[in-house]
Amino acid sequence: MSVLDVTVFPHDFAWGAATAAYQIEGGWDVDGRGPSVWDTFCHAKGGVFEDHTGDVACNSYQLWEEDLKCIQQLGLTHYRLSISWSRLLPDGTTNHVNPKGVAYYNKVIDDLIACNVKPMITLYHMDLPQALQDLGGWSSTEIADIFESYARFCFKTFGDRVKLWITLNEPYVCAKLGHEDGTFAPGIKDPGISVYLAGHNMLRAHTKAWHTYNTHFRPLQAGQVSLALNSDWAEPSDPGCPKDAAATERYKDFTLGWFACPVFCTGDYPESMRARIESRSLDLGYKQGSRLPRFSKDEPSPLGTADFFALNYYTSRKVIDLNGGSKKSELSFVGDQGAEGVVDPSWPICGVHWLAVVPDGLRKLLKYIKDAYTSLPVYITENGFSQMGPVQIEDADRCRFYQDTLQEVGKAVSQDGVNVKGYFAWSLLDNFEWSHGYSVRFGLFHVDFSTPELKRTSYRSGREYAAVISKHRSQT
C-alpha cells in the first residue's frame, strides 16, 4: 500500500469529523427539549432495528466534554455537528425559545473555539420538530418561512463564532426515505407525490435561509452557507448499452441533479426530470397538476444559493435501465427515474448491505461535480465505513478504506484540479444509525452502549486518522 502524500492537500485543509444531534445527543425529553419526528417514529416501534431509539444515544447532551476529548485526540481542525431544532425551539417556532438549548450549543461552540477547532453547523439533520410535522411538515408551503425564522435565530445567536453553515443535510434522503418509502421519519408512504413536494419545500427553505444570511448577516459575520447533498457515483451496468447509459444520466439527475441543478446550474430542476415526471403522469392518467412543483417568480431563486459545495459520499452504483419494468403501472419515484442502481459483485461490502466500498468513485464524482456543476470549493461533509457484528477496535479494513479514500481525494486535488477544501469523516462516534439503530458502527471512536458511562475508545482508524492530520499540519 503506497503511503499517503499529505502535501497535495492545501495548507488550510479542513480535517474534520461529523455527527448529528438526534444520533448522538440523547436527552430527548430533558431541559425543555420538544419532541422531533424521530422521537415519534422510534417510539411508535417497528421502524427501527430491535426498536432502538435515540432517547439516550451517546448522551452527548450530558457527556459533551467526553466528545471534546475525542475531537482533541484526533487533532481535528473542524467539527461538524447539527443543532436539534426542537431543543432550541421546542415547537419549531421562535415564539418559544428554550434558554437551556441555547446555553448548550453556546458551550459546545465556545469549547470548540477555545480548542482551536472550527465548528461547521447543520441546521437540519433529519429531526423536524414534531409540532411542525403536525402542521404538515415538509409537505406544507408554510414550512419554508418557519425554517427561515429558525435559521435567522441561529445566525443571530451563534453566527458571531460560526463561519460555516449547512442549512439542510441530505434533502434527497429526507424526501425519498421519509416521504416515499416511509422507512425514515416521518414514515410517510405516498409514492410519486410527497417526495417531490417535500424536496421542493426543502429547497425553498434553504433558499430563503441563504438569502437571509446573505443580506442581513454576511456583511458583519463573513461566513459561508451551503446545503449538504448526498450522491453515489454512477456508471452504466453495461457501458455498451445505450439504454443503460441513458438510465445512468437519469439516475444522476434524480439524485444529485434534483437539488444541485436548481442551486448551481439553472435555478430549476433538471429538464430530464421534469420531462419524465410529466410524461409518466400523462401515461398513468394523473390529472391533479404537476407532481414536480415549479419555483414561484414571487420568491427568490435557488440559483447561486451556496457558497461552497457540500458533498456526502458513501458508495457507487452500476445502473440498469428500468423502463418497461414492473414499476411502470403505478406512480413512484423509481418509476419516474426509470433506473436502478445495483452493486457490482466485485466491490467489497462493509457492514451494512448497501455500502459497497468504492473509493475511486469519490474521485470520479468530485470531477463530475466540477465539470457539470461548479468550480466552487468542495467540502466532503460525510464519508465513512461501517462495521457490524463483533466490535473490532483494530479495524484494519476501515484503516485501509480511509487511506485509499484520502489518496483518491488527493488525486482529485492534484490531478483533476478539484478545489477540495476539507474532509469530514462520518462519524466521530459510533451512534444511532437511523433505521439500523446501534447495529451499525461508523465511529472513529467506539461507544460502549452496554454501560451507562457510554465509554469512548479510539478505534485504530481513529489513531491513524489522527496521524494523517498531524503529518499534514507538520508539513504545511
Side-chain angles (χ1 to χ4, degrees):
M1 187 167 64
S2 55
V3 176
L4 179 65
D5 176 12
V6 293
T7 61
V8 300
F9 298 103
H11 72 94
D12 59 349
F13 193 75
W15 294 103
T19 59
Y22 187 75
Q23 295 178 268
I24 67 165
E25 281 183 6
W28 79 278
D29 63 347
V30 302
D31 288 351
R33 179 185 178 275
S36 78
V37 291
W38 270 95
D39 294 303
T40 306
F41 188 75
C42 291
H43 295 160
K45 302 197 181 304
V48 176
F49 175 81
E50 291 188 353
D51 290 333
H52 292 172
T53 75
D55 290 2
V56 178
C58 307
N59 198 18
S60 294
Y61 184 63
Q62 291 177 314
L63 298 177
W64 157 244
E65 278 84 2
E66 297 306 309
D67 294 357
L68 185 61
K69 286 177 195 167
C70 297
I71 290 165
Q72 290 175 284
Q73 221 172 302
L74 292 170
L76 300 182
T77 64
H78 290 66
Y79 177 57
R80 178 177 173 223
L81 66 147
S82 81
I83 287 175
S84 164
W85 186 346
S86 64
R87 191 179 297 288
L88 217 52
L89 308 175
D91 69 2
T93 75
T94 49
N95 298 337
H96 174 203
V97 175
N98 176 18
K100 288 188 175 172
V102 175
Y104 173 70
Y105 293 112
N106 269 328
K107 177 171 170 47
V108 168
I109 292 164
D110 290 344
D111 287 353
L112 287 168
I113 290 168
C115 295
N116 208 21
V117 178
K118 295 180 173 68
M120 174 186 274
I121 289 195
T122 306
L123 294 175
Y124 175 75
H125 199 122
M126 311 287 181
D127 50 351
L128 191 73
Q130 183 59 43
L132 297 181
Q133 186 59 42
D134 294 342
L135 300 174
W138 289 113
S139 297
S140 79
T141 306
E142 293 73 31
I143 192 75
D145 287 325
I146 297 171
F147 179 82
E148 185 276 331
S149 297
Y150 162 55
R152 182 188 291 262
F153 177 82
C154 291
F155 298 150
K156 185 179 170 189
T157 308
F158 309 118
D160 57 328
R161 291 151 290 157
V162 177
K163 305 303 171 189
L164 290 169
W165 294 96
I166 301 288
T167 53
L168 308 170
N169 181 72
E170 299 187 350
Y172 171 95
V173 171
C174 180
K176 182 163 188 303
L177 274 61
H179 296 78
E180 170 93 3
D181 305 340
T183 54
F184 271 29
I188 292 165
K189 295 178 184 174
D190 181 29
I193 296 170
S194 290
V195 62
Y196 301 121
L197 189 55
H200 188 71
N201 286 326
M202 281 190 272
L203 272 170
R204 291 177 56 241
H206 160 77
T207 297
K208 285 172 186 275
W210 186 91
H211 281 285
T212 290
Y213 189 85
N214 195 49
T215 304
H216 300 291
F217 296 95
R218 193 190 305 275
L220 276 176
Q221 296 181 356
Q224 296 187 308
V225 181
S226 189
L227 75 173
L229 303 181
N230 63 289
S231 184
D232 303 339
W233 173 244
E235 293 177 352
S237 180
D238 175 357
C241 168
K243 283 188 168 182
D244 283 359
T248 303
E249 292 312 304
R250 289 197 302 275
Y251 187 89
K252 289 174 179 171
D253 283 349
F254 271 76
T255 309
L256 185 59
W258 181 8
F259 298 96
C261 205
V263 172
F264 296 98
C265 281
T266 64
D268 198 4
Y269 297 113
E271 284 175 28
S272 68
M273 201 174 169
R274 190 169 296 286
R276 285 278 308 184
I277 293 166
E278 301 281 341
S279 110
R280 292 240 324 143
S281 291
L282 208 61
D283 290 350
L284 297 171
Y286 182 83
K287 298 192 170 106
Q288 295 163 44
S290 176
R291 289 184 290 129
L292 185 65
R294 296 190 178 274
F295 293 101
S296 166
K297 298 277 190 290
D298 302 328
E299 291 190 330
S301 167
L303 184 61
T305 59
D307 304 315
F308 55 92
F309 198 108
L311 173 68
N312 293 359
Y313 170 81
Y314 284 95
T315 190
S316 293
R317 288 293 184 264
K318 296 290 175 122
V319 179
I320 52 177
D321 177 63
L322 271 194
N323 282 337
S326 61
K327 295 277 181 188
K328 191 147 178 70
S329 60
E330 61 199 30
L331 288 179
S332 73
F333 179 88
V334 171
D336 293 336
Q337 184 176 250
E340 184 185 4
V342 296
V343 173
D344 187 304
S346 70
W347 295 336
I349 301 290
C350 73
V352 65
H353 64 90
W354 56 265
L355 218 175
V357 182
V358 197
D360 67 335
L362 176 54
R363 178 188 177 183
K364 291 172 184 174
L365 183 57
L366 287 166
K367 186 175 188 311
Y368 173 76
I369 287 166
K370 172 179 162 253
D371 294 343
Y373 290 113
T374 182
S375 55
L376 280 172
V378 179
Y379 287 89
I380 298 158
T381 38
E382 283 181 33
N383 175 246
F385 182 103
S386 77
Q387 187 184 99
M388 292 178 83
V391 174
Q392 295 170 277
I393 293 294
E394 293 296 314
D395 53 346
D397 288 348
R398 188 186 278 140
C399 292
R400 195 173 313 112
F401 163 81
Y402 277 119
Q403 182 88 3
D404 293 348
T405 299
L406 289 169
Q407 271 181 333
E408 294 298 330
V409 174
K411 289 176 195 169
V413 173
S414 60
Q415 295 175 36
D416 304 333
V418 184
N419 185 9
V420 184
K421 293 279 283 182
Y423 176 88
F424 291 76
W426 183 270
S427 173
L428 178 69
L429 306 169
D430 290 342
N431 61 51
F432 175 82
E433 283 295 340
W434 306 122
S435 56
H436 298 293
Y438 301 99
S439 68
V440 173
R441 298 179 297 276
F442 276 94
L444 294 167
F445 283 80
H446 173 60
V447 178
D448 183 355
F449 293 108
S450 68
T451 66
E453 295 77 33
L454 297 158
K455 182 171 162 38
R456 282 87 160 128
T457 306
S458 179
Y459 286 103
R460 180 173 144 199
S461 55
R463 297 193 295 276
E464 291 201 2
Y465 187 46
V468 168
I469 297 170
S470 169
K471 189 176 175 187
H472 180 260
R473 294 179 87 170
S474 68
Q475 290 189 11
T476 53

